[in-house]
Amino acid sequence: MDFNLLTNIEICHVFKNEAPMALVRYSHIPTAFISLLVGFFVYFKNRKSLIGKTLLAITMLFSMWSFFDLIPWEFGYNSVLTMFFWALLGLVQAFLFMSSLYLIYVFPENKDVSFTKKIIAAIFMLPVVLLTPTAFNLTLFDVTNCEATEGNFFTNYYYYLSLLIFLWILIIIFLKYRKSEKVFKKQILLMGSGIELFLILFFSTNFLATLLDNYVILIYGMFGMVIFMGFLAYMIVKFKAFDIKLIGAQALVYSLIILIGSQFFFIQSKTNQILTGITLTLAAVFGIFLIKSVKAEIKRKEELQDMTEKLAIANDQLRKLDNAKSEFISIASHQLRTPLTAIKGYASLILEGTYGEVNQGIAEPINKIYASNERLVQLVEELLNISKIESGKMEFNFEKHRIEDIVKDLSDTFVILAKDKKLYFNTELPEEHTPEVEIDTSKIREVISNLIDNSIKYTRRGGVNVKVELVKNATWKVKHQFKSEKPVIMDGDAVKITVSDTGIGIPKDDLSYLFSKFSRGRDTKRLHANGTGLGLYVGKNIIEAHHGKIWAESEGAEKGSRFIIELPLEQPKS
Ligand code: ADP
């Protein structure tokens, strides 16, 4: 073509026509559209998020850039139009770089940067804003060869600024990656590389276009945005970043379909159209699967959340009910105590002959009344203990006391009880005194007494042995079930009390829940019908309140049992 025959403007039209116009439109329109789509989706999902706002700003700047860049391509070059739009392009591009830097600063914490940093950024941006409309930017646009003459100062400043921001982002990614929690590491890496790829493509094509004097190269820079949006979409789906979930997946799929579908407008070759058709179908099919699976996942999550909430409500109601029950038991037990004490008093007065001589016929039923009343008194006592434990109202009076003294004291009573059942009763106390232990004596006495009482109750042949010893450097963990504090690790010396018997033993399955409320062994009822299943439960709570531990051991049914308590010498200072 003979250029000399054409006017200046026409020359540029020729240039324009030589440029692959389909590629120009294709690179500008769909990419700007997709980036805006993603930007708006992220923003509308969480309007308050700084990240969302910055992303929207980036995508808007980008689409503005695409628009400004497209106009000279589309309408042919003439000096004024090109100068004007190229100036705008430079401005927008600088802001685009700065917003990208801001994005990596606020991601993923969503925290704004300091005022000082903003001032520094503003200082860097000032020459861009001030000099863009001047001759420092574009001196002139020569329509004879369709080339802009760039003001040297500005071009250099502009490239250095872009390079600086690019490197700055790289450093921020590196620093953030190092100190962030593991869950965010991958997100930072993806977001960072997305931004950097976008910028480097933008920047290097710009540079190359100037260097090689071929402005068609600029077009390829825009595909960096597609890559960036792809990274973003992946993050949205994979990490539920920006809280977008389904919309994110849909945006990704629809954008992909639009992007591929738009190719039909630009390609003429049949083979390419068929290939695009196949790609489009594949993308649509996979897209539908992706959306479906995301939907299913969201549904599952929501169901789970729903169930958790319901459970929490039910839990709360149960707790309230439990409190009401404890309160009720507490009041009822207090009311029961008075008449029971009266029955006990009168029965013993009758038996002692205070109301006249008691003949054998009447003495026996009165004795039975007395014994039954005693059982009721004990039950009421245990119920009261439980309501106190559960409402956290049980009070402890800690004092220094020797465990052996308690055991010696108890053995006087239990020797007789064992003898009545033709059982032996041994105590095994250390030759050297065990140190004194910080305890609530009456409560610990109650617990040991209950263990010995149980051993005698649940033994037919043989007998019971109670051993007290010092354990050096014991370590254990205690968590009191009615206190929400963290478990306490105890270590140091402890006094160990072992009550062993040759009785009915405990089947393996029963061992784990013996210490629960109202729990009684399966075979127990035959041997002793009147138990409550509360003694061990109360005992465990008392021992745990002493930061001690209690457990049972047995080789199985009919093989005897061992109940063991370990108490620390001192209570931890709170
Ligand atoms: P109770 O003895 O009133 O049933 P406890 O809480 O004291 O309640 O004991 C709970 C259960 O633990 C008993 O019902 C019994 O099955 C089992 N148990 C306790 N001590 C022994 C023991 N020495 N030998 C066998 N089983 C025992």
Side-chain angles (χ1 to χ4, degrees), residues 450 454 457-458 501 505 514 519-521 524 531-533 535-536 561 563:
N450 182 53
N454 276 349
K457 251 182 356 195
Y458 299 119
D501 61 51
L514 276 189
S519 110
R520 304 202 64 209
T524 323
T532 55
L536 288 180
S561 333
F563 282 81

Side-chain angles (χ1 to χ4, degrees), residues 13 27 33 107 124 129 135 157 160 165 190 248 254 276 349-350 413 416 421 435 441 492 496 519:
H13 274 286
S27 63
F33 184 73
F107 186 83
F124 274 109
V129 179
Y157 180 79
Y160 286 132
I165 293 177
L190 274 170
Y254 297 147
T276 312
L349 284 175
I350 292 170
T413 331
I416 305 167
K421 278 191 81 177
T441 313
K496 181 174 177 184
S519 110

Side-chain angles (χ1 to χ4, degrees), residues 303-320:
E303 276 171 3
L304 221 90
Q305 208 166 356
D306 207 39
M307 249 147 65
T308 320
E309 273 162 21
K310 277 190 189 142
L311 259 173
I313 294 168
N315 223 346
D316 206 46
Q317 281 170 341
L318 271 178
R319 202 171 303 127
K320 278 186 192 141

